[in-house]
Amino acid sequence: SQQGEEDPQALSIQEGENATMNCSYKTSINNLQWYRQNSGRGLVHLILIRSNEREKHSGRLRVTLDTSKKSSSLLITASRAADTASYFCATDAPNDYKLSFGAGTTVTVRA
Amino acid sequence: GAVVSQHPSRVICKSGTSVKIECRSLDFQATTMFWYRQFPKQSLMLMATSNEGSKATYEQGVEKDKFLINHASLTLSTLTVTSAHPEDSSFYICSARDRSTGWNYGYTFGSGTRLTVV
């Protein structure tokens, strides 16, 4: 079932700028993950943050998690044209391996 | 890293026919695979959880007889859309997790199948 809301729905930025998108969820989670989807393709796992973690970095990606607000953010620094894609957050509940996806944010990076 | 191969990538079929979509874990064993459906510019909706050697678990509102799932081996799950209708046209994606790598790598997704029913 869907439990994530993401904002903004769409984001257009210039190459080199940072892109920030947010995700909110409704129920307790085990982990929160971010995925990227290029148009018409499958999803690529970007980063996973556990419920007891507050911040995580991977290359140009920075993810934060605030379990008290049930929200997460994904920051992409120094964006590139190749970062153009849709980004989804996904959560799984304790003792449940099924993922619930957010609505997604479509990011367009202009050269 | 873990790879999930999904075939076909695109299929066009006539109304009333059945279509089979395959999802294979290439370099790991997947006791559990997941099937999603995605409408244009929308998010992924979980359809069912495919369990190796047992019956699939379907999400509420998903017709079991319409979307047949078979997970006969540790590396292969199939989704068969039976008696397809135009409203079944969608993007279908499978995923699996390589449990041997732990949680940090998330789930691996197939490249998706674009089904068009005419």
Side-chain angles (χ1 to χ4, degrees), chain A residues 1-2 30-31 33 35 37 40-45 47-48 50 56 88 92 97-99 101-104, chain B residues 34 36 38 41-46 49 59 91 93 97 99 103-112 114:
Chain A
S1 62
Q2 297 289 303
N30 191 33
N31 303 301
Q33 305 175 42
Y35 289 85
Q37 183 181 35
R41 305 289 295 174
L43 275 70
V44 174
H45 179 254
I47 196 167
L48 179 150
R50 299 175 190 273
K56 204 162 183 179
F88 295 92
D92 60 343
Y97 294 120
K98 295 188 292 187
L99 289 181
F101 282 86
Chain B
F34 302 91
Y36 296 85
Q38 185 180 32
K41 300 189 178 183
Q42 293 189 26
S43 189
L44 281 73
M45 295 291 293
L46 179 65
T49 302
E59 295 299 300
F91 193 59
I93 314 176
R97 186 171 74 86
R99 296 191 178 188
W103 274 110
N104 283 334
Y105 296 92
Y107 288 76
T108 302
F109 283 78
S111 56
R114 172 74 59 194

Side-chain angles (χ1 to χ4, degrees), chain A residues 2 15 18 21 23 29 32 41 43 50 58 60 64 82 85 98:
Chain A
Q2 297 289 303
E15 202 166 29
N18 296 341
M21 59 210 87
C23 164
I29 63 170
L32 186 143
R41 305 289 295 174
L43 275 70
R50 299 175 190 273
S58 176
R60 294 183 296 111
T64 63
K98 295 188 292 187

Side-chain angles (χ1 to χ4, degrees), chain B residues 78-110:
Chain B
T78 60
L79 168 67
T80 301
V81 182
T82 63
S83 187
H85 290 282
E87 56 264 31
D88 298 325
S89 298
S90 190
F91 193 59
Y92 294 87
I93 314 176
C94 65
S95 77
R97 186 171 74 86
D98 181 358
R99 296 191 178 188
S100 68
T101 61
W103 274 110
N104 283 334
Y105 296 92
Y107 288 76
T108 302
F109 283 78

Side-chain angles (χ1 to χ4, degrees), chain A residues 19-104:
Chain A
T20 300
M21 59 210 87
N22 304 294
C23 164
S24 62
Y25 56 92
K26 298 176 183 175
T27 60
S28 296
I29 63 170
N30 191 33
N31 303 301
L32 186 143
Q33 305 175 42
W34 285 90
Y35 289 85
R36 185 186 74 229
Q37 183 181 35
N38 290 89
S39 181
R41 305 289 295 174
L43 275 70
V44 174
H45 179 254
L46 295 176
I47 196 167
L48 179 150
I49 187 165
R50 299 175 190 273
S51 59
N52 61 356
E53 296 178 312
R54 292 296 168 258
E55 188 171 314
K56 204 162 183 179
H57 297 255
S58 176
R60 294 183 296 111
L61 305 179
R62 173 178 169 253
V63 168
T64 63
L65 178 64
D66 187 336
T67 53
S68 66
K69 295 181 180 178
K70 291 186 168 57
S71 67
S72 173
S73 68
L74 171 67
L75 167 68
I76 305 173
T77 61
S79 63
R80 305 167 182 169
D83 294 329
T84 294
S86 292
Y87 292 83
F88 295 92
C89 67
T91 58
D92 60 343
N95 301 316
D96 186 353
Y97 294 120
K98 295 188 292 187
L99 289 181
S100 291
F101 282 86

Side-chain angles (χ1 to χ4, degrees), chain B residues 6-105:
Chain B
Q6 185 173 344
H7 292 280
S9 58
R10 291 177 182 272
V11 58
I12 300 173
C13 71
K14 292 184 178 181
S15 287
T17 62
S18 295
V19 173
K20 180 185 285 188
I21 303 169
E22 291 190 348
C23 182
R24 293 181 184 271
S25 56
L26 296 187
D27 47 5
F28 66 100
Q29 293 183 336
T31 54
T32 303
M33 290 187 178
F34 302 91
W35 287 95
Y36 296 85
R37 183 173 181 175
Q38 185 180 32
F39 290 104
K41 300 189 178 183
Q42 293 189 26
S43 189
L44 281 73
M45 295 291 293
L46 179 65
M47 298 174 65
T49 302
S50 172
N51 304 298
E52 187 269 334
S54 65
K55 291 182 179 180
T57 305
Y58 290 82
E59 295 299 300
Q60 193 172 7
V62 178
E63 299 177 58
K64 300 178 183 181
D65 296 331
K66 175 77 172 171
F67 299 99
L68 299 179
I69 291 173
N70 184 278
H71 194 154
S73 77
L74 286 171
T75 59
L76 174 65
S77 175
T78 60
L79 168 67
T80 301
V81 182
T82 63
S83 187
H85 290 282
E87 56 264 31
D88 298 325
S89 298
S90 190
F91 193 59
Y92 294 87
I93 314 176
C94 65
S95 77
R97 186 171 74 86
D98 181 358
R99 296 191 178 188
S100 68
T101 61
W103 274 110
N104 283 334
Y105 296 92

